[in-house]
Structures are given as C-alpha cells and as structure tokens.
C-alpha cells in the first residue's frame, strides 16, 4: 500500500467516514494536517451534577477519540468547562457566593464521574473563567470587522451582516427581524436574533472590568475563543449534543468566521439525545438520573458505559432499566468468556475456521467504527465471535492456538469499549461510592483464587473452603477442573 508522507501511522489513511452536520452528508474524514485530529468538545455547564444524557454525549466523544487513536491519529482534544453562563451567574448570586466557589463542587464531581466511566482525559480541559482576556480580544476583533454594536453596555453580534448565518442548523432566515436582540444564552430557532457577545452587569451579579467595559461573556463566545486559542483558526472536528447545534454552534461559527475569514470547523458531529423509558428526561417527571444515582442503586460503571456506547451516536438512545440489565449481562458474558479462555486447557493445534472467524471479527469491528462510529455493528461482530468460540469450546473443537487471535480481537474491542477488564469496584471506591452489591475486581478474584490454590496445595482444606465461601458471598463461583486447576465465573 502506498504511504502518504508525514502520516503518524499508515492506517491513518484508512477510510473513516463521519456524518457532517454542516453538509448533511457522510464524508471521508480528512484532517487538515495528515495524521492529526484536532477536536473541540463542548464540555459541561457546571451549574449542577451532569446527568446520564450528558454522559451519553461524553461517552460518544470518548469513543471518537479512542477510535481515532486506534487508527493511528495523534489526537488533540480540548474540552471546556462552561463555568460562567446565565444559570451559574443566577445560582451563585442566589447562594451569595462567587462563581468559582459555586462551580468547584460540580467540576470535581464531573471529573470524578468521567473517571468512573472510563472516559479518557482530553489533552486539555479549560475553564471559561480563565479565558476572559481571550474572549475580550476576540470580541474586539469581530468589532473591527463592524459586525457588532453596543446597546446599554452590552455588545451584540449583528447576524444580518454575516450572510452565512444559519448554515449549520439550516434555519430559515426569511422571518428574522433585523436588529432584534436576544440576551439569554439559550433560545429557540424561532428566536434567531442578534445575540450578546458581552453582557452588561446586573446588580448583585458577578462581572469583570475589561477594555470593552464591565460585564461578562455570553456563552457562545467562550467556546470560539478557547477553541481557536488551543486548536488554531480551523479545527478538524467539533462535537456536542444535538441541542447545541442551535444557537450555540451556529453562533460559534458566526463569531469565529467573522473574525478570521476562515472556515472554523471542517466536521461537525452531533450526538442525538438520550431519553429515559421513552420520555425526555426531566427532574419533574422523576426520570432524571445522575451517575451517582445509578451507582447508589448498585449499577456498575461498566454497565452504564456499555449501554451508553452501544447505541450509535446519531441514533436516539432510550435508556431503560431493562436495557441496563441487558448491558450488565453482556459485559458479564464477555468477562466470563475471557476468564474461560484463560483458565481452560485446550488441545494443542489450531482450528482454522475459528482462526478465520477471529480475524473476520476484528476486521468487522473496525469496519463498523469506520462507518460513522457504528458501535452497534462493531459490537455484533464481537458477540458473534464470542458465541462461536463458546460453542466450539463446549463441543471440544477449540484449540490452544486459537486463544491468541481471539484475545487480540477482544483487546481491540476493549481499547474502545473499555469494559472487559473488571475494575468496577476500584473505580467506585476511587470516587467514594462503595456498595455491597459491587463485585470484586478481576485482579482481586485472581488473588483470592491463587490463595485458595496455595491452601489446597498445602492440604489446608479449611482455609481453601473459607476462601471459596468468601468468593461465593461476592457472587464468584469456582469450578475445579479435572487437571487440578480452577475456573471461576460470576453469578
Ligand atoms: P450542558 O452541560 O447542558 O452544556 O451539556 C453538556 C453536553 O451534554 C452537551 O454536549 C449537550 O448537548 C449534551 N446533552 C444535554 N442533554 C442531553 C441528553 N438528554 N442526551 C444527550 N446529550 C445531552
Ligand atoms: Zn460550547
């Protein structure tokens, strides 16, 4: 295969397709710099605990970055923390504390929850309140292009002077009133208006003294300023949930392209929303879950991660308790399979049809992801392989030489899904949740099994039985094999 100069890895050339909201089409992914993917991710607005809908979008972004890395790209992902916006200003003022103090708790919780879900840390996590000067400079730059005006101490973006306005969300501009303004950060398409880049202070609210007057930034300018500061004036990929398409991302495009005259983003990827039992999640409906709500109910991080990752990002995800149960059993099936593969002794040699199946599964897994991150297709390939291999083992057709290729396919799977290695208990402990229902980690089980084997060897059967009992209480079943070894699985 011919290689393109400068690629970090030959596979970086492979045909990855992403659905680009800007063009409305699936397109081959071609980054600006070969071998490098520069991604901006709208992070959480830290006015409350993030919910599972938010984490559906963050898990999609984690799958995206893990997959690009698997394909050999050097990934530079910047995620912001929106630590100043209308809701934060209002809540902090109501609590009578500063906004940094108000948001601190939610930032910590978000970082802890992200770790528990196995989200890789983006290369940069940046806070809006650390970038006020960058926002002011960007507003000045847009003003020099005469796309802004002032009213009552606030600065607005004049959308009628940016002809491309609406190109991302495809809004119909015909009914838009020139000169009408909107001051709130979040509004509907029907209210497309000149929006605030900089807002004059209101009594009792937090503000900054700056060259463009006292006040605070609008939400949209925050992301434009931070994205371009860390990733340059044209980014490869910008991600978020579908609710951010309008007005947030539309306004980001207007501000950035007005200032630079260059395309702001090459590929816009938007995750569809998560519903709970078929309904929009809302606190008043009582179907609103944070991760910690689910952990408290005994659900494992791996179960939640698996469920959130299993539905392709552009499909609506209906989060149900049944779905959680199924996800837990899918993860268990994989873990039990790996344990069986490691513990059982198989006859020497290689079964050619299983070997071909393993190669095919690894290939189909990757193909699924290359097709706009079709995680459902990728998963199907791996579960077919596990089913076939289990059947072959039951029939005595599995051979020692088949193990390595299957483990390699599962390793590839886990580089994206990150659920096979059982570290749920450690993850929960690390974020301060310990529930009795949480199982032991693989490493903990292995250590106890080894201890029991040692006890049996020195004929201390009392100790061996005690350990077996201890494991049984934590849902681990031991099966002694004919060759004196032991196999374990989870109940
Ligand atoms: P926010 O904290 O509101 O700024 O949202 C953080 C991220 O979560 C954004 O990318 C949102 O688009 C996304 N998001 C919000 N609600 C949902 C939901 N129900 N399902 C999926 N993603 C969501
Ligand atoms: Zn943003």
């Amino acid at each position: 295969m011919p290689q393109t100069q400068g690629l970090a890895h030959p596979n970086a050339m492979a045909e990855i397709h992403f659905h680009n909201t800007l063009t409305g089409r699936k397109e081959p992914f071609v980054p600006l710099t070969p071998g490098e993917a520069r991604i901006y991710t709208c992070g959480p607005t830290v006015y409350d605990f993030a919910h599972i809908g938010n984490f559906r979008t963050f898990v999609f972004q984690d799958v995206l970055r893990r997959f690009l890395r698997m394909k050999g790209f050097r990934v530079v992902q910047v995620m912001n923390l929106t630590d100043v916006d209308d809701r934060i200003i209002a809540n902090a003022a109501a609590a009578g504390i500063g906004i940094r103090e108000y948001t601190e708790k939610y930032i910590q919780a978000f970082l802890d929850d992200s770790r528990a879900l196995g989200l890789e840390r983006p290369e940069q996590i940046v806070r809006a309140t650390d970038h006020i000067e960058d926002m002011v400079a960007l507003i000045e730059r847009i003003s020099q292009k005469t796309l802004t005006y002032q009213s009552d101490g606030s600065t607005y973006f004049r959308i009628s002077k940016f002809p491309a306005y609406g190109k991302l969300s495809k809004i119909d501009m015909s009914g838009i009133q020139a000169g009408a303004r909107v001051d709130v950060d979040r509004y509907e398409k029907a209210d497309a208006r000149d929006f605030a880049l900089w807002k004059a202070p209101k009594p009792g609210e937090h503000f900054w003294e700056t060259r463009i007057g006292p006040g605070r930034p609008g939400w949209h300018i925050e992301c434009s300023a931070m994205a371009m500061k860390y990733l340059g004036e044209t980014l490869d990929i910008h991600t978020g949930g579908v609710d951010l398409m309008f007005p947030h991302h539309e306004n980001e495009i207007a501000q950035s392209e007005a200032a630079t005259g260059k395309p702001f983003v090459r590929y816009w990827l938007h995750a569809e929303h998560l519903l709970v039992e078929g309904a929009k999640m809302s606190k008043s409906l009582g179907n609103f879950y944070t991760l910690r709500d689910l952990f408290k109910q005994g659900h494992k991080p791996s179960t939640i991660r698996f469920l959130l990752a299993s539905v392709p990002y552009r499909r609506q995800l209906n989060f149900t308790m049944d779905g959680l149960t199924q996800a837990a059993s899918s993860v268990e099936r994989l873990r039990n399979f790996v344990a069986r593969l490691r513990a059982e002794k198989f006859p020497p040699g290689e079964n050619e049809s299983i070997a071909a199946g393993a190669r095919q599964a690894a290939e189909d897994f990757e193909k699924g992801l290359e097709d706009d991150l079709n995680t459902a297709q990728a998963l199907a390939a791996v579960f077919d392989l596990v089913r076939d291999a289990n059947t072959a083992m039951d029939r005595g057709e599995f051979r020692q030489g088949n193990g390595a290729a299957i483990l390699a396919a599962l390793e590839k799977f886990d580089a994206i899904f990150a659920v096979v290695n059982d570290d749920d208990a450690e993850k929960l402990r690390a974020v301060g949740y310990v529930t009795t229902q949480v199982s032991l980690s693989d490493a903990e089980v292995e250590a106890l099994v080894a201890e029991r084997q040692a006890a049996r060897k020195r004929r201390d059967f009392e100790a061996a039985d005690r350990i077996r009992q201890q494991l049984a209480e934590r849902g681990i079943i031991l099966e002694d094999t004919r060759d004196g070894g032991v196999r374990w699985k989870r109940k």
Side-chain angles (χ1 to χ4, degrees):
M1 191 171 90
Q3 291 206 1
T4 302
Q5 228 186 351
L7 286 184
H9 185 282
N11 273 350
M13 288 184 64
E15 341 42 52
I16 298 172
H17 286 78
F18 290 137
H19 182 275
N20 187 351
T21 310
L22 192 60
T23 58
R25 283 196 312 267
K26 244 187 229 180
E27 297 174 338
F29 175 59
V30 183
L32 205 56
T33 307
E36 190 174 284
R38 287 169 305 117
I39 308 172
Y40 186 82
T41 293
C42 287
T45 306
V46 283
Y47 76 110
D48 201 346
F49 293 107
H51 54 66
I52 52 169
N54 301 135
F55 280 110
R56 186 272 203 278
T57 295
F58 295 126
V59 166
F60 138 64
Q61 287 150 357
D62 187 59
V63 167
L64 170 69
R65 58 166 290 131
R66 284 171 180 261
F67 179 60
L68 287 169
R69 286 226 324 239
M70 172 181 280
K71 298 298 281 182
F73 286 92
R74 192 171 81 82
V75 169
V76 184
Q77 183 190 14
V78 176
M79 177 192 273
N80 75 299
L81 299 171
T82 302
D83 63 350
V84 47
D85 91 325
D86 291 343
R87 293 176 292 189
I88 292 169
I89 294 262
N91 289 5
I97 54 178
I99 55 174
R100 292 287 280 221
E101 197 185 337
Y102 177 78
T103 55
E104 194 52 45
K105 167 174 153 194
Y106 300 116
I107 290 178
Q108 264 323 310
F110 172 72
L111 297 175
D112 287 349
D113 287 355
S114 298
R115 248 192 319 271
L117 261 196
L119 302 181
E120 287 185 348
R121 203 181 156 92
E123 281 61 30
Q124 302 250 25
I125 296 184
V126 293
R127 287 192 194 196
T129 52
D130 288 333
H131 296 80
I132 301 297
E133 166 56 30
D134 300 292
M135 297 168 203
V136 168
L138 183 58
I139 295 170
E140 287 175 326
R141 222 172 140 188
I142 304 167
S143 300
Q144 279 160 17
K145 306 270 173 88
T146 69
L147 274 99
T148 63
Y149 60 92
Q150 300 245 332
S151 177
D152 297 332
S154 295
T155 306
Y156 295 88
F157 186 97
R158 196 186 292 282
I159 58 175
S160 60
K161 287 195 80 176
F162 185 74
Y165 193 82
K167 68 178 172 181
L168 181 73
S169 56
K170 324 286 186 270
I171 56 164
D172 174 9
M173 295 291 288
S174 58
I176 306 293
Q177 263 180 284
R181 289 187 295 274
V182 54
D183 283 299
V184 290
D185 285 332
R186 294 175 196 245
Y187 51 91
E188 300 297 321
K189 272 189 189 179
D191 297 322
R193 310 247 168 100
D194 293 347
F195 59 91
L197 299 169
W198 187 257
K199 304 187 194 192
K202 293 204 191 101
E205 287 185 354
H206 189 95
F207 68 94
W208 284 264
E209 278 298 349
T210 72
R211 294 191 298 279
I212 55 172
R216 60 179 176 96
W219 171 36
H220 318 296
I221 198 74
E222 300 176 10
C223 283
S224 285
M226 291 184 280
M228 293 199 289
K229 172 168 184 161
Y230 293 100
L231 296 168
E233 293 181 346
T234 300
L235 337 175
D236 294 310
I237 301 176
H238 195 313
T239 62
V242 282
D243 59 311
L244 299 191
M245 214 186 285
F246 187 88
H248 187 49
H249 293 160
E250 197 67 67
N251 292 352
E252 277 188 49
I253 293 176
Q255 298 159 156
S256 309
E257 298 192 354
T260 67
K262 296 179 192 159
F264 174 47
V265 170
R266 292 157 63 81
Y267 300 86
W268 285 93
L269 272 56
H270 289 104
E272 204 27 85
H273 264 194
L274 169 147
L275 303 177
V276 173
E277 308 281 356
K280 191 173 167 180
M281 196 165 44
S282 84
K283 282 188 177 156
S284 59
L285 284 179
N287 65 355
F288 183 98
Y289 296 104
T290 63
L291 278 192
R292 43 203 72 208
D293 293 333
L294 295 173
F295 293 157
K296 271 191 215 124
Q297 291 177 12
H299 298 291
K300 299 176 186 175
S302 60
T303 307
I304 302 165
R305 180 178 169 96
F306 183 90
L307 179 53
L308 296 182
S310 63
V311 177
Y313 77 97
R314 293 190 65 238
R315 243 190 258 161
Q316 208 163 52
L317 191 162
N318 188 19
F319 189 95
T320 63
M321 288 302 145
D322 275 355
L324 266 181
T325 309
Q326 277 170 31
S329 97
S330 297
V331 173
E332 285 311 297
R333 198 174 325 142
L334 292 170
R335 289 178 177 176
N336 284 331
F337 173 72
V338 172
R340 180 175 189 187
L341 191 57
R342 293 216 163 102
E344 240 173 86
K345 292 252 183 313
F346 305 101
E350 190 176 30
N351 176 327
E352 187 37 50
S353 103
I354 296 171
R359 283 193 298 273
Q360 190 64 45
E363 206 181 302
D364 290 348
F365 176 76
E366 204 164 321
K367 269 203 200 125
L369 295 175
E370 280 165 4
D371 181 14
D372 198 25
L373 304 177
N374 189 337
T375 47
Q377 193 184 319
L379 273 179
V382 168
F383 278 92
D384 283 352
L385 173 66
V386 169
R387 187 200 53 220
D388 293 348
N390 262 325
T391 309
M393 288 174 183
D394 294 342
R395 291 188 183 147
E397 292 165 4
F398 198 89
R399 295 290 170 268
Q400 225 171 62
N402 289 123
I406 292 191
L407 283 175
L410 286 171
E411 226 167 77
K412 195 169 203 180
F413 159 84
D414 219 38
I416 306 292
F417 279 82
V419 293
V420 173
N421 177 33
D422 185 353
D423 51 7
D424 284 314
E426 282 137 73
K427 278 185 172 144
L428 286 176
R429 271 197 297 273
V431 292
Y433 313 108
V434 185
T435 75
T436 47
Q437 290 154 54
V438 168
S439 57
L440 296 167
S441 72
D442 277 0
E444 288 166 327
V445 176
E446 301 282 358
L448 284 166
V449 169
E451 212 179 295
R452 176 171 168 273
Q453 286 294 79
R456 284 171 85 199
K457 215 167 179 180
R458 58 171 196 270
R459 309 192 66 75
D460 182 354
F461 296 113
E462 206 180 306
D465 281 348
R466 209 169 41 239
I467 295 170
R468 176 192 277 275
Q469 183 56 30
Q470 199 182 335
L471 284 164
E473 280 163 14
R474 308 295 291 272
I476 307 295
I477 301 164
L478 301 184
E479 282 168 27
D480 294 320
T481 57
R482 257 171 285 145
D483 59 5
V486 66
R487 192 162 110 185
W488 61 269
K489 66 177 188 191
R490 294 171 194 280
K491 224 181 333 202

Short mmCIF file of all heavy atoms in Angstrom, two decimals, residues 41-47 50-58 61 82 87 186 219 239-245 249 271-275 280-281, ligand 1:
data_model
loop_
_atom_site.label_atom_id
_atom_site.label_comp_id
_atom_site.label_asym_id
_atom_site.label_seq_id
_atom_site.Cartn_x
_atom_site.Cartn_y
_atom_site.Cartn_z
N THR A 41 -14.54 19.90 22.05
CA THR A 41 -15.72 19.30 22.66
C THR A 41 -16.34 20.29 23.63
O THR A 41 -15.65 20.76 24.54
CB THR A 41 -15.26 18.07 23.48
OG1 THR A 41 -14.78 17.08 22.57
CG2 THR A 41 -16.37 17.50 24.31
N CYS A 42 -17.62 20.61 23.42
CA CYS A 42 -18.29 21.47 24.40
C CYS A 42 -18.48 20.65 25.68
O CYS A 42 -19.16 19.63 25.68
CB CYS A 42 -19.65 21.93 23.89
SG CYS A 42 -19.48 23.18 22.60
N GLY A 43 -17.85 21.10 26.72
CA GLY A 43 -17.92 20.38 27.99
C GLY A 43 -19.17 20.76 28.76
O GLY A 43 -20.05 21.45 28.24
N PRO A 44 -19.25 20.31 30.01
CA PRO A 44 -20.47 20.55 30.77
C PRO A 44 -20.59 21.99 31.27
O PRO A 44 -19.59 22.66 31.48
CB PRO A 44 -20.30 19.61 31.98
CG PRO A 44 -18.82 19.56 32.17
CD PRO A 44 -18.22 19.61 30.80
N THR A 45 -21.83 22.41 31.42
CA THR A 45 -22.09 23.67 32.11
C THR A 45 -22.18 23.28 33.59
O THR A 45 -23.09 22.54 33.97
CB THR A 45 -23.40 24.28 31.62
OG1 THR A 45 -23.32 24.38 30.19
CG2 THR A 45 -23.61 25.67 32.20
N VAL A 46 -21.22 23.74 34.37
CA VAL A 46 -21.09 23.18 35.72
C VAL A 46 -21.94 23.94 36.75
O VAL A 46 -21.45 24.47 37.73
CB VAL A 46 -19.60 23.10 36.14
CG1 VAL A 46 -18.94 21.92 35.46
CG2 VAL A 46 -18.84 24.38 35.78
N TYR A 47 -23.25 23.91 36.50
CA TYR A 47 -24.18 24.55 37.44
C TYR A 47 -24.89 23.49 38.27
O TYR A 47 -25.65 23.80 39.18
CB TYR A 47 -25.19 25.42 36.70
CG TYR A 47 -26.27 24.64 35.99
CD1 TYR A 47 -27.60 24.67 36.45
CD2 TYR A 47 -25.97 23.88 34.87
CE1 TYR A 47 -28.59 23.95 35.81
CE2 TYR A 47 -26.96 23.15 34.23
CZ TYR A 47 -28.26 23.18 34.70
OH TYR A 47 -29.24 22.45 34.07
N ALA A 50 -23.71 16.52 36.32
CA ALA A 50 -24.01 16.09 34.95
C ALA A 50 -24.94 14.87 35.03
O ALA A 50 -24.86 14.08 35.96
CB ALA A 50 -22.72 15.72 34.22
N HIS A 51 -25.85 14.75 34.04
CA HIS A 51 -26.78 13.62 34.05
C HIS A 51 -26.37 12.59 32.98
O HIS A 51 -25.46 12.83 32.19
CB HIS A 51 -28.22 14.09 33.88
CG HIS A 51 -28.46 14.97 32.68
ND1 HIS A 51 -28.33 14.52 31.39
CD2 HIS A 51 -28.82 16.28 32.59
CE1 HIS A 51 -28.61 15.49 30.55
NE2 HIS A 51 -28.90 16.59 31.25
N ILE A 52 -27.11 11.48 32.93
CA ILE A 52 -26.70 10.41 32.01
C ILE A 52 -26.85 10.83 30.55
O ILE A 52 -26.19 10.27 29.69
CB ILE A 52 -27.45 9.08 32.28
CG1 ILE A 52 -28.95 9.31 32.33
CG2 ILE A 52 -26.95 8.42 33.56
CD1 ILE A 52 -29.75 8.03 32.32
N GLY A 53 -27.72 11.80 30.28
CA GLY A 53 -27.83 12.33 28.91
C GLY A 53 -26.52 13.00 28.53
O GLY A 53 -25.95 12.75 27.46
N ASN A 54 -26.02 13.86 29.42
CA ASN A 54 -24.73 14.50 29.18
C ASN A 54 -23.66 13.43 28.95
O ASN A 54 -22.85 13.53 28.03
CB ASN A 54 -24.29 15.35 30.38
CG ASN A 54 -25.27 16.45 30.75
OD1 ASN A 54 -25.59 16.64 31.92
ND2 ASN A 54 -25.77 17.16 29.76
N PHE A 55 -23.69 12.38 29.78
CA PHE A 55 -22.64 11.36 29.66
C PHE A 55 -22.80 10.50 28.41
O PHE A 55 -21.83 9.94 27.93
CB PHE A 55 -22.53 10.52 30.93
CG PHE A 55 -21.76 11.23 32.00
CD1 PHE A 55 -22.37 11.72 33.14
CD2 PHE A 55 -20.40 11.48 31.81
CE1 PHE A 55 -21.65 12.44 34.09
CE2 PHE A 55 -19.67 12.19 32.76
CZ PHE A 55 -20.30 12.67 33.90
N ARG A 56 -23.99 10.42 27.87
CA ARG A 56 -24.15 9.73 26.59
C ARG A 56 -23.29 10.46 25.54
O ARG A 56 -22.55 9.85 24.78
CB ARG A 56 -25.63 9.77 26.19
CG ARG A 56 -26.01 8.97 24.96
CD ARG A 56 -25.87 9.75 23.66
NE ARG A 56 -26.68 9.23 22.58
CZ ARG A 56 -26.36 8.21 21.79
NH1 ARG A 56 -25.22 7.58 21.98
NH2 ARG A 56 -27.14 7.82 20.84
N THR A 57 -23.39 11.79 25.56
CA THR A 57 -22.60 12.59 24.61
C THR A 57 -21.11 12.50 24.93
O THR A 57 -20.28 12.37 24.03
CB THR A 57 -23.13 14.03 24.60
OG1 THR A 57 -24.47 14.00 24.08
CG2 THR A 57 -22.29 14.94 23.72
N PHE A 58 -20.74 12.51 26.20
CA PHE A 58 -19.31 12.43 26.53
C PHE A 58 -18.73 11.04 26.22
O PHE A 58 -17.57 10.93 25.85
CB PHE A 58 -19.07 12.82 28.00
CG PHE A 58 -19.40 14.27 28.26
CD1 PHE A 58 -20.27 14.64 29.27
CD2 PHE A 58 -18.87 15.27 27.45
CE1 PHE A 58 -20.61 15.98 29.48
CE2 PHE A 58 -19.21 16.61 27.65
CZ PHE A 58 -20.07 16.97 28.66
N GLN A 61 -17.96 10.97 22.59
CA GLN A 61 -16.72 11.69 22.30
C GLN A 61 -15.50 10.87 22.71
O GLN A 61 -14.44 10.95 22.07
CB GLN A 61 -16.74 13.05 23.02
CG GLN A 61 -17.71 13.99 22.33
CD GLN A 61 -18.35 15.00 23.25
OE1 GLN A 61 -18.14 15.02 24.45
NE2 GLN A 61 -19.15 15.88 22.67
N THR A 82 -17.83 25.07 30.99
CA THR A 82 -18.57 26.33 31.00
C THR A 82 -18.83 26.68 32.46
O THR A 82 -19.76 26.17 33.07
CB THR A 82 -19.89 26.18 30.22
OG1 THR A 82 -19.58 25.78 28.89
CG2 THR A 82 -20.65 27.50 30.17
N ARG A 87 -27.18 30.51 34.00
CA ARG A 87 -27.65 29.73 35.16
C ARG A 87 -26.66 29.77 36.31
O ARG A 87 -27.05 29.83 37.48
CB ARG A 87 -27.90 28.29 34.72
CG ARG A 87 -29.06 28.17 33.75
CD ARG A 87 -29.24 26.76 33.26
NE ARG A 87 -28.13 26.33 32.41
CZ ARG A 87 -28.13 25.19 31.71
NH1 ARG A 87 -29.15 24.37 31.79
NH2 ARG A 87 -27.12 24.89 30.95
N ARG A 186 -29.46 30.70 26.01
CA ARG A 186 -30.13 29.58 25.33
C ARG A 186 -31.48 30.03 24.82
O ARG A 186 -32.27 30.59 25.59
CB ARG A 186 -30.26 28.38 26.28
CG ARG A 186 -28.89 27.81 26.64
CD ARG A 186 -28.92 26.71 27.68
NE ARG A 186 -27.57 26.53 28.21
CZ ARG A 186 -26.84 25.42 28.05
NH1 ARG A 186 -27.33 24.39 27.42
NH2 ARG A 186 -25.62 25.36 28.56
N TRP A 219 -22.34 33.01 26.49
CA TRP A 219 -21.87 31.61 26.48
C TRP A 219 -21.14 31.27 25.19
O TRP A 219 -20.10 30.62 25.18
CB TRP A 219 -23.11 30.72 26.67
CG TRP A 219 -22.92 29.26 26.48
CD1 TRP A 219 -21.82 28.51 26.82
CD2 TRP A 219 -23.88 28.35 25.92
NE1 TRP A 219 -22.05 27.18 26.51
CE2 TRP A 219 -23.30 27.06 25.96
CE3 TRP A 219 -25.17 28.49 25.39
CZ2 TRP A 219 -23.98 25.94 25.48
CZ3 TRP A 219 -25.83 27.37 24.94
CH2 TRP A 219 -25.24 26.11 24.98
N THR A 239 -17.57 18.73 18.44
CA THR A 239 -18.64 17.81 18.86
C THR A 239 -19.54 18.42 19.93
O THR A 239 -19.16 19.37 20.61
CB THR A 239 -18.05 16.52 19.46
OG1 THR A 239 -17.30 16.89 20.62
CG2 THR A 239 -17.17 15.79 18.49
N GLY A 240 -20.71 17.82 20.07
CA GLY A 240 -21.65 18.20 21.12
C GLY A 240 -22.94 17.44 20.91
O GLY A 240 -23.07 16.67 19.95
N GLY A 241 -23.90 17.66 21.80
CA GLY A 241 -25.22 17.06 21.61
C GLY A 241 -26.03 17.89 20.63
O GLY A 241 -25.69 19.04 20.35
N VAL A 242 -27.11 17.30 20.09
CA VAL A 242 -27.90 18.00 19.07
C VAL A 242 -28.50 19.32 19.55
O VAL A 242 -28.72 20.23 18.75
CB VAL A 242 -29.08 17.14 18.52
CG1 VAL A 242 -28.60 16.11 17.53
CG2 VAL A 242 -29.86 16.49 19.65
N ASP A 243 -28.73 19.42 20.85
CA ASP A 243 -29.31 20.67 21.36
C ASP A 243 -28.35 21.85 21.20
O ASP A 243 -28.77 23.00 21.25
CB ASP A 243 -29.69 20.52 22.85
CG ASP A 243 -28.49 20.15 23.71
OD1 ASP A 243 -27.76 19.21 23.34
OD2 ASP A 243 -28.27 20.81 24.73
N LEU A 244 -27.08 21.57 21.01
CA LEU A 244 -26.10 22.67 20.90
C LEU A 244 -25.98 23.21 19.47
O LEU A 244 -25.39 24.27 19.26
CB LEU A 244 -24.72 22.22 21.38
CG LEU A 244 -24.61 21.77 22.83
CD1 LEU A 244 -23.15 21.63 23.23
CD2 LEU A 244 -25.29 22.76 23.77
N MET A 245 -26.58 22.51 18.52
CA MET A 245 -26.47 22.93 17.12
C MET A 245 -26.97 24.37 16.94
O MET A 245 -26.34 25.19 16.29
CB MET A 245 -27.32 21.97 16.30
CG MET A 245 -26.81 21.66 14.95
SD MET A 245 -28.03 20.68 14.11
CE MET A 245 -27.89 19.09 14.82
N HIS A 249 -23.72 26.39 18.44
CA HIS A 249 -22.70 26.17 17.41
C HIS A 249 -22.87 27.10 16.22
O HIS A 249 -21.88 27.52 15.60
CB HIS A 249 -22.71 24.69 16.99
CG HIS A 249 -22.25 23.78 18.09
ND1 HIS A 249 -22.52 22.44 18.14
CD2 HIS A 249 -21.51 24.04 19.22
CE1 HIS A 249 -21.98 21.91 19.23
NE2 HIS A 249 -21.37 22.87 19.90
N ALA A 271 -24.35 14.39 18.70
CA ALA A 271 -24.97 13.17 19.27
C ALA A 271 -26.45 13.42 19.52
O ALA A 271 -26.83 14.47 20.04
CB ALA A 271 -24.28 12.80 20.58
N GLU A 272 -27.26 12.45 19.15
CA GLU A 272 -28.70 12.51 19.38
C GLU A 272 -28.95 12.39 20.89
O GLU A 272 -28.12 11.85 21.62
CB GLU A 272 -29.30 11.33 18.61
CG GLU A 272 -30.72 11.38 18.18
CD GLU A 272 -31.32 12.75 17.95
OE1 GLU A 272 -31.18 13.31 16.84
OE2 GLU A 272 -31.97 13.23 18.89
N HIS A 273 -30.10 12.87 21.32
CA HIS A 273 -30.37 12.87 22.75
C HIS A 273 -30.73 11.52 23.33
O HIS A 273 -31.17 10.63 22.63
CB HIS A 273 -31.47 13.87 23.06
CG HIS A 273 -30.90 15.18 23.48
ND1 HIS A 273 -31.63 16.16 24.07
CD2 HIS A 273 -29.64 15.65 23.39
CE1 HIS A 273 -30.84 17.20 24.32
NE2 HIS A 273 -29.63 16.91 23.92
N LEU A 274 -30.54 11.43 24.62
CA LEU A 274 -30.93 10.24 25.36
C LEU A 274 -32.31 10.49 25.97
O LEU A 274 -32.59 11.57 26.47
CB LEU A 274 -29.90 9.99 26.46
CG LEU A 274 -30.18 8.96 27.54
CD1 LEU A 274 -28.86 8.31 27.97
CD2 LEU A 274 -30.83 9.58 28.76
N LEU A 275 -33.17 9.48 25.89
CA LEU A 275 -34.47 9.53 26.56
C LEU A 275 -34.44 8.50 27.68
O LEU A 275 -33.65 7.56 27.64
CB LEU A 275 -35.59 9.15 25.60
CG LEU A 275 -35.74 9.97 24.31
CD1 LEU A 275 -36.86 9.40 23.45
CD2 LEU A 275 -36.00 11.43 24.63
N LYS A 280 -38.55 12.37 27.56
CA LYS A 280 -37.48 13.34 27.76
C LYS A 280 -37.16 13.37 29.26
O LYS A 280 -38.07 13.39 30.09
CB LYS A 280 -37.99 14.72 27.29
CG LYS A 280 -36.90 15.72 27.21
CD LYS A 280 -37.36 17.01 26.59
CE LYS A 280 -36.26 17.96 26.88
NZ LYS A 280 -36.13 19.18 26.59
N MET A 281 -35.88 13.37 29.57
CA MET A 281 -35.50 13.34 30.97
C MET A 281 -35.80 14.69 31.62
O MET A 281 -35.44 15.73 31.09
CB MET A 281 -34.00 13.06 31.04
CG MET A 281 -33.55 12.64 32.38
SD MET A 281 -31.92 11.89 32.34
CE MET A 281 -31.04 12.94 31.29
P1 LIG B 1 -24.58 21.14 29.05
O1 LIG B 1 -23.99 20.85 30.38
O2 LIG B 1 -26.05 21.43 29.09
O3 LIG B 1 -23.83 22.25 28.34
O4 LIG B 1 -24.44 19.82 28.20
C1 LIG B 1 -23.26 19.06 28.10
C2 LIG B 1 -23.37 18.12 26.93
O5 LIG B 1 -24.44 17.18 27.10
C3 LIG B 1 -23.68 18.84 25.61
O6 LIG B 1 -22.93 18.26 24.57
C4 LIG B 1 -25.17 18.60 25.42
O7 LIG B 1 -25.54 18.68 24.08
C5 LIG B 1 -25.29 17.19 25.96
N1 LIG B 1 -26.66 16.81 26.38
C6 LIG B 1 -27.54 17.50 27.14
N2 LIG B 1 -28.69 16.80 27.33
C7 LIG B 1 -28.53 15.62 26.69
C8 LIG B 1 -29.35 14.43 26.51
N3 LIG B 1 -30.55 14.30 27.06
N4 LIG B 1 -28.83 13.43 25.76
C9 LIG B 1 -27.59 13.51 25.20
N5 LIG B 1 -26.79 14.58 25.34
C10 LIG B 1 -27.23 15.63 26.07
#
